[in-house]
Amino acid sequence: MTRVAAVDCGTNSIRLLVADVDPASGELVDLDRRMTIVRLGQGVDRTGRLAPEALERTFAACRDYAAIIKEHGADRVRFVATSATRDAANRDDFVRGVLDILGVEPEVVSGDQEAALSFTGATAELAGRDDLAKPYLVVDIGGGSTEFVVGDDRVRAARSVDVGCVRLTERHLVEDGVVSDPPTPGQVTAMRADIEAALDLAERTVPLREARTLVGLAGSVTTVSAIAQNLPEYDSRAIHHSRVSYDRVREITESLLTSTHAERATIPSMHPGRVDVIGAGALVLLSIMERTGAAEVVVSEHDILDGIAFLAARESGAGEQGD
């Protein structure tokens, strides 16, 4: 077992996993797993730059994570940054800040790399299960982008498209700096059109309809699962590998898109940082299920973060063998 620290910095949140990993067996034992909403992608779709206040929120979280990594004594640290950072003209400011705080340079991965890491993290522990037919379609609905990966024991095709819960909310639901409360039917229709165009783009290279099992990742999907189960609080153990039917996803999405901020905020399993963007994220999930004909989504708490941890452990082992 190799002790590693993995950091996934997305458009809406930054997450840390410290774990003992055996890449040969696929075993991963959590020591510390946490998430902080930092909204690094605030305004990136409009300005093309990372906002100073968004950078500072992210660096504050990195300082907290550095202390946790030191406390656990990780042998290797891997930091991956995704959609918002790919799009930003001033991403060098972000890279320098992370390097100063954590001592590692963040890897700004491509959409295809992000998809492969998500697939590894989501499917490594599904091997050998006979109740989930292959191939899998793994969808990672993030803040700025959604990744689609089809594969069985390995990735067959992958594509990243620029629709995510934060990007869609900022593009379609914000007027005069305020999120519509609730969205108008016209705004929802505009979001739908954006999502359908993105699905058309993804389907050019990824055979979405060939998949036998839909696996959904990231906060929008896990929050839908928590709502579907009427959980009194967010519970990763209850959410991981839960199954949510198409009918339930449709019902929840319609409810979220017709409720007010105050009403959504009363949902006990809802993270405060997701209240304004969860409707858009749920709509992406619903649209994917409609496009693929999926009767249910299998929800995974293991995603790109776990994929980063497996990659860090494999590289650590390779380095030791070469010494």
Side-chain angles (χ1 to χ4, degrees):
M1 301 285 275
T2 302
R3 182 160 296 183
V4 300
V7 181
D8 166 37
C9 187
T11 302
N12 195 44
S13 64
I14 183 169
R15 299 181 301 145
L16 169 70
L17 169 63
V18 182
D20 288 332
V21 181
D22 182 350
S25 68
E27 184 180 4
L28 184 150
V29 179
D30 284 20
L31 299 174
D32 200 311
R33 187 187 291 260
R34 60 185 65 202
M35 181 269 288
T36 309
I37 299 286
V38 293
R39 288 282 175 89
L40 178 61
Q42 172 193 333
V44 167
D45 193 53
R46 178 176 53 83
T47 68
R49 299 181 64 82
L50 299 168
E53 59 272 28
L55 283 169
E56 184 45 47
R57 289 193 298 268
T58 305
F59 293 154
C62 287
R63 285 188 280 271
D64 291 341
Y65 290 177
I68 295 163
I69 292 167
K70 182 177 180 180
E71 177 185 339
H72 285 290
D75 299 317
R76 187 174 182 88
V77 180
R78 192 85 185 243
F79 189 115
V80 166
T82 54
S83 176
T85 329
R86 281 198 299 269
D87 299 340
N90 61 334
R91 70 182 188 178
D92 287 349
D93 295 340
F94 169 76
V95 171
R96 283 194 298 271
V98 171
L99 183 59
D100 287 346
I101 296 166
L102 288 169
V104 295
E105 187 168 320
E107 303 163 66
V108 181
V109 296
S110 69
D112 287 347
Q113 290 171 314
E114 183 177 353
L117 286 168
S118 295
F119 185 84
T120 298
T123 63
E125 61 189 345
L126 299 181
R129 286 187 56 166
D130 56 11
D131 61 326
L132 298 177
K134 297 178 182 178
Y136 308 115
L137 169 60
V138 175
V139 294
D140 186 343
I141 303 172
S145 63
T146 295
E147 281 63 55
F148 298 86
V149 198
V150 166
D152 29 53
D153 298 320
R154 60 181 179 81
V155 173
R156 285 172 41 189
R159 186 70 181 260
S160 177
V161 294
D162 285 339
V163 290
C165 60
V166 174
R167 192 185 296 268
L168 286 169
T169 299
E170 291 188 347
R171 186 178 291 170
H172 296 292
L173 305 186
V174 176
E175 292 185 356
D176 299 323
V178 178
V179 179
S180 296
D181 191 26
T184 66
Q187 289 173 322
V188 174
T189 298
M191 277 202 302
R192 270 276 199 183
D194 241 10
I195 295 166
E196 293 300 328
L199 289 172
D200 290 342
L201 188 61
E203 208 162 14
R204 291 180 188 174
T205 50
V206 180
L208 303 181
R209 302 175 212 231
E210 290 182 15
R212 302 284 302 282
T213 298
L214 175 65
V215 182
L217 318 181
S220 292
V221 180
T222 58
T223 300
V224 167
S225 172
I227 295 170
Q229 297 180 65
N230 296 309
L231 296 179
E233 60 184 6
Y234 192 93
D235 183 347
S236 296
R237 289 172 297 179
I239 291 167
H240 188 48
H241 289 173
S242 61
R243 301 184 185 197
V244 187
S245 70
Y246 165 77
D247 287 340
R248 194 75 175 103
V249 171
R250 179 173 49 80
E251 178 185 329
I252 290 167
T253 302
E254 290 173 355
S255 174
L256 291 170
L257 289 172
T258 54
S259 61
T260 64
H261 175 99
E263 289 168 338
R264 294 190 301 276
T266 63
I267 299 171
S269 57
M270 178 80 68
H271 189 288
R274 296 201 187 280
V275 173
D276 283 335
V277 300
I278 184 60
L283 186 60
V284 174
L285 174 60
L286 178 64
S287 301
I288 292 168
M289 296 182 78
E290 290 176 346
R291 177 68 65 102
T292 61
E296 65 175 12
V297 57
V298 178
V299 181
S300 179
E301 281 277 358
H302 293 183
D303 50 27
I304 186 174
L305 193 58
D306 302 76
I308 297 165
F310 278 117
L311 181 61
R314 283 198 295 265
E315 290 182 342
S316 180
E320 289 168 3
Q321 292 166 12
D323 288 341

